[in-house]
Each structure stands twice: as structure tokens, then as C-alpha cells.
């Protein structure tokens, strides 16, 4: 079984591009989609609440103390 021979000129014929308005080999213009109209306006929030932030810090301190105690016990 052999592979098909690739087309030496992959461009479509000019008749196929006649309705598009772009000549062969030209690059079309980019879209103007840089706007931020992705939904209704929502005012920005202040960020994280104090509760979750305190919980994460407390968990980090508990983990650090655990590993510190573990390291001290291993060295005895």
C-alpha cells in the first residue's frame, strides 16, 4: 500500500475564490474582536474574604509545625 502523492499546488483554483473577494496568496484581515463585551457588567469585588485567608494561613502553620516536630523526632 502506498501513500497518496501530495498535491504540488495546494491552493484552490481562482474560480473557487471568486466569491470571497481575496486573491490567491493574500492574507485576509484580522477580526476586530478585542472588545470586552462578554457579558453583563459586574463591579469588581475586593478579593478574598478574611475567613478563607485565615483558614489557609492556619493550615500552613499547622503543616509547618508538623514537619518541624517530625524532623526533631527523627534526629533523636
Amino acid at each position: 500500500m502506498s501513500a497518496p502523492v501530495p498535491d504540488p499546488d495546494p491552493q484552490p483554483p481562482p474560480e473557487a475564490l471568486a466569491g470571497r473577494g481575496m486573491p490567491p496568496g493574500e492574507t485576509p484581515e484580522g477580526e476586530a474582536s478585542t472588545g470586552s463585551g462578554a457579558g453583563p457588567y459586574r463591579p469588581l469585588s475586593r478579593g478574598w474574604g478574611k475567613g478563607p485567608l485565615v483558614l489557609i494561613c492556619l493550615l500552613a502553620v499547622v503543616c509547618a509545625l508538623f514537619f518541624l516536630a517530625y524532623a526533631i523526632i527523627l534526629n533523636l
Side-chain angles (χ1 to χ4, degrees):
M1 186 178 251
S2 64
V5 178
D7 188 11
D9 187 19
Q11 297 279 339
E15 303 87 46
L17 296 174
R20 292 164 139 191
M22 292 299 302
E26 291 292 322
T27 305
E29 295 180 13
E31 295 180 11
S33 62
T34 59
S36 63
Y41 173 74
R42 293 184 305 170
L44 297 175
S45 63
R46 292 185 54 182
W48 282 53
K50 291 182 181 176
L53 198 57
V54 168
L55 185 66
I56 290 172
C57 289
L58 185 63
L59 184 65
V61 168
V62 168
C63 287
L65 288 175
F66 170 77
F67 286 115
L68 180 66
Y70 189 70
I72 290 172
I73 290 173
L74 283 180
N75 285 331
L76 291 180

